[in-house]
């Protein structure tokens, strides 16, 4: 495999240049080989950058989801326990059982029932912001909205929501390519706190059931659907993290992309009916989830390369979504692009369960922002990206507008 190695100087996901703009690096990898053996960082793995091969692997049952558990200190134990029980890292038949159980709360009907609450929440957030003439869009809007929605769904008290942002930021680093022993130890401590918190909340819900997702999951468990307490805790933690991370990044990335492309932004402002195709284009253009991982359960030939049993494969969704073989002018934002079969939410059995909710929240948030703040503009020429590799999202995004 020596001939397939990409030098670290050419492909280093830990570099500031990569984090600022990973797409030229993806293009270089794809041009060399769509399925590429990369020797960099602290390990050797396959990286897949083409749409065809990415789609193929995501649909192939010979590739499994799994969390590579490192040899770390005892502090990591609670985190490993959660990850082993998370639907995110399960495969059939356990994944099928868990997904069927939680999917009852994510039907199109259930999601549409949240529309008035999401719209009300968006306007309440903007009511507070609009008189100031400026906003840090991530912390003041893109983060609070999905957190308020998912904590309402889970029945988490309002005054405890802010704590979950800190905890979620720690946990997301434990499943990122950039994770370190320090981040894993911190994740273990947060996991311990979350396990205790949700055990307590579950007990309260058992005694006093409410009309929320937590109570629905508990009732399903008691009806014999075999969701044990460890799985229930892990499911709540997964929903809490995934329920805000993707949507926060989708809104932030979307507003940055639109403000950096004023003609596209104005087109959407003048034609709000384009919001659906605009959301899909934002998902393609700046995918909130840039990478996902699979493990080969047997030797498999993909793109002319043999991926051996047990080897890890990074499927770079952000690269597949800019593959020129599938998308014309892939580096151009086009809110009218159709068809747009991007892989931002994955595909196959692990297709993102919360995709309809993320789309709805982004739809309402972006449409309302553009309508209520027609003079919205960026207040920075150098947007600050978070220090993650597998997830693409902004740390801050300062904007300004005419006061209401």
């Amino acid at each position: 495999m020596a001939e397939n190695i990409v030098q670290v100087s050419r492909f280093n996901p830990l570099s500031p240049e990569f984090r600022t703009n990973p797409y030229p690096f993806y293009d270089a990898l794809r041009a060399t080989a769509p399925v590429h053996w990369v020797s960099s960082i602290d390990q050797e793995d396959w990286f897949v950058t083409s749409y065809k091969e990415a789609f193929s692997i995501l649909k192939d049952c010979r590739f499994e989801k799994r969390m590579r558990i490192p040899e770390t200190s005892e502090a990591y134990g609670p985190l490993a326990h959660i990850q082993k029980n998370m639907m995110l890292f399960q495969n059939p038949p356990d994944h099928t059982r868990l997904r069927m159980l939680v999917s009852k709360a994510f039907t199109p009907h259930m999601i549409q029932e949240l529309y008035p609450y999401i719209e009300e929440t968006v306007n309440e957030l903007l009511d507070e912001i609009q008189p100031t003439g400026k906003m840090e869009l991530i912390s003041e809007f893109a983060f609070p909205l999905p957190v308020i929605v998912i904590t309402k769904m889970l029945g988490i008290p309002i005054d405890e929501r802010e704590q979950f942002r800190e905890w979620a930021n720690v946990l997301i680093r434990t499943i990122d390519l950039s994770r370190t022993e320090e981040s894993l130890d911190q994740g273990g401590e947060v996991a311990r706190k979350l396990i205790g918190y949700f055990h307590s909340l579950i007990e309260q819900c058992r005694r006093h059931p409410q009309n929320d997702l937590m109570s629905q999951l508990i009732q399903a468990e008691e009806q014999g659907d075999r969701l044990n307490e460890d799985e229930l805790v892990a499911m709540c933690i997964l929903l809490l993290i995934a329920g805000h991370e993707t949507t926060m990044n989708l809104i932030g990335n979307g507003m940055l992309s639109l403000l950096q492309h004023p003609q596209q932004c104005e087109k959407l402002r003048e034609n709000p009916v384009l919001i659906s195709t605009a959301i899909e284009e934002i998902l393609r253009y700046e995918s909130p989830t840039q990478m996902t991982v699979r493990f080969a359960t047997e030797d498999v030939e993909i793109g002319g390369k043999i991926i051996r049993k047990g080897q890890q494969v990074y499927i770079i969704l952000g690269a597949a979504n800019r593959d020129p073989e599938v998308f014309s002018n892939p580096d151009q934002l086009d809110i009218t692009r159709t068809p747009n079969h991007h892989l931002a939410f994955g595909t196959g059995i692990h297709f993102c369960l919360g995709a309809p909710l993320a789309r709805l929240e982004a739809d309402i948030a972006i449409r309302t922002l553009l309508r209520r703040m027609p003079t919205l503009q960026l207040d920075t020429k150098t947007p600050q990206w978070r220090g993650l590799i597998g997830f693409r999202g902004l740390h801050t995004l300062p904007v300004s507008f005419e006061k209401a």
Side-chain angles (χ1 to χ4, degrees):
M1 292 183 185
E3 69 277 12
N4 295 328
I5 294 177
V6 174
Q7 297 300 317
V8 173
S9 60
R10 292 177 58 198
F11 180 71
N12 180 10
L14 300 177
S15 70
E17 294 81 7
F18 179 89
R19 290 176 179 176
T20 298
N21 183 11
Y23 303 107
F25 294 86
Y26 295 161
D27 291 343
L29 270 182
R30 191 190 309 107
T32 305
V35 180
H36 215 111
W37 180 256
V38 176
S39 179
S40 65
I41 318 166
D42 60 350
Q43 58 195 49
E44 297 180 330
D45 297 293
W46 291 100
F47 281 72
V48 176
T49 51
S50 65
Y51 185 98
K52 178 182 176 182
E53 279 72 28
F55 184 88
S56 176
I57 293 173
L58 290 171
K59 300 283 280 188
D60 194 329
C61 63
R62 295 173 294 177
F63 290 91
E64 290 187 344
K65 284 291 285 281
R66 195 186 310 164
M67 191 65 194
R68 179 179 278 176
I69 304 297
E71 296 291 334
T72 62
S73 67
E74 186 177 341
Y76 178 66
L79 180 60
H81 182 72
I82 288 175
Q83 291 173 340
K84 287 178 180 178
N85 286 285
M86 269 190 181
M87 182 178 68
L88 182 65
F89 302 115
Q90 297 290 329
N91 298 286
D94 289 331
H95 174 269
T96 307
R97 170 175 58 86
L98 294 172
R99 189 176 177 99
M100 287 182 62
L101 187 61
V102 74
S103 65
K104 297 174 184 178
F106 286 88
T107 63
H109 175 71
M110 295 290 286
I111 296 302
Q112 281 301 315
E113 282 193 340
L114 288 168
Y115 192 108
Y117 181 75
I118 296 170
E119 189 172 49
E120 178 185 6
T121 302
V122 166
N123 282 298
E124 286 178 352
L125 289 170
L126 294 182
D127 285 344
E128 293 185 15
I129 295 166
Q130 199 145 16
T132 68
K134 61 181 180 179
M135 157 174 53
E136 199 293 279
L137 195 141
I138 304 304
S139 63
E140 295 184 71
F141 185 70
F143 165 74
L145 173 61
V147 166
I148 289 170
V149 173
I150 194 61
T151 51
K152 173 182 172 60
M153 291 178 69
L154 287 171
I156 294 172
I158 293 175
D159 58 358
E160 296 176 4
R161 288 170 176 165
E162 188 59 34
Q163 175 64 68
F164 283 105
R165 180 183 192 184
E166 178 185 338
W167 287 349
N169 282 339
V170 172
L171 289 185
I172 199 69
R173 291 185 176 278
T174 68
I175 59 174
D176 190 63
L177 187 60
S178 64
R179 67 182 185 172
T180 62
E181 185 170 344
E182 180 183 8
S183 66
L184 289 172
D185 287 346
Q186 291 173 349
E189 179 59 23
V190 166
R192 184 184 61 77
K193 293 176 181 177
L194 278 168
I195 290 171
Y197 177 87
F198 277 112
H199 275 304
S200 176
L201 188 61
I202 289 167
E203 183 56 35
Q204 292 178 37
C205 287
R206 289 188 196 280
R207 293 197 302 266
H208 307 288
Q210 305 294 321
N211 184 27
D212 55 38
L213 177 56
M214 174 75 80
S215 297
Q216 290 178 31
L217 292 174
I218 291 171
Q219 291 165 10
E221 174 204 1
E222 293 174 344
Q223 291 166 5
D225 282 352
R226 304 192 315 279
L227 184 69
N228 63 46
E229 182 112 348
D230 285 341
E231 290 172 334
L232 183 56
V233 169
M235 182 73 76
C236 290
I237 294 172
L238 173 61
L239 291 173
L240 179 68
I241 299 170
H244 89 270
E245 180 71 24
T246 298
T247 306
M248 174 181 68
N249 292 339
L250 174 54
I251 294 170
N253 296 358
M255 288 310 304
L256 174 64
S257 298
L258 289 169
L259 293 174
Q260 287 180 329
H261 297 81
Q263 290 183 338
Q264 295 291 305
C265 188
E266 189 59 29
K267 182 184 291 187
L268 180 57
R269 184 179 280 113
E270 292 177 353
N271 302 278
V273 294
L274 294 175
I275 188 63
S276 294
T277 54
I279 295 298
E280 299 310 306
E281 177 66 349
I282 290 164
L283 284 163
R284 183 200 70 83
Y285 185 76
E286 284 285 15
S287 305
T289 300
Q290 290 281 300
M291 299 182 188
T292 187
V293 181
R294 296 291 188 273
F295 285 83
T297 61
E298 59 183 82
D299 290 358
V300 184
E301 181 177 352
I302 298 288
K305 305 293 174 66
I306 302 297
I307 299 176
R308 301 296 180 186
K309 178 180 179 180
Q311 287 184 331
Q312 184 170 243
V313 183
Y314 284 97
I315 304 165
I316 309 184
L317 304 175
N321 288 338
R322 293 205 184 192
D323 188 340
E325 292 293 321
V326 177
F327 303 99
S328 61
N329 300 314
D331 295 325
Q332 177 181 319
L333 182 75
D334 177 5
I335 65 168
T336 64
R337 187 184 296 271
T338 183
N340 191 345
H341 302 301
H342 62 76
L343 299 177
F345 289 123
T347 191
I349 64 170
H350 287 282
F351 180 82
C352 178
L353 184 66
L357 179 59
R359 285 181 165 117
L360 179 62
E361 290 182 64
D363 178 314
I364 297 171
I366 292 174
R367 267 193 301 110
T368 308
L369 267 174
L370 295 180
R371 175 177 57 81
R372 291 189 53 166
M373 299 175 176
T375 60
L376 192 70
Q377 62 181 14
L378 290 174
D379 270 0
T380 179
K381 294 182 179 180
T382 56
Q384 298 299 305
W385 295 95
R386 295 163 69 193
L388 299 172
I389 298 171
F391 305 92
R392 186 154 174 81
L394 292 155
H395 180 62
T396 59
L397 186 64
V399 295
S400 60
F401 45 87
E402 289 184 8
K403 296 181 181 179

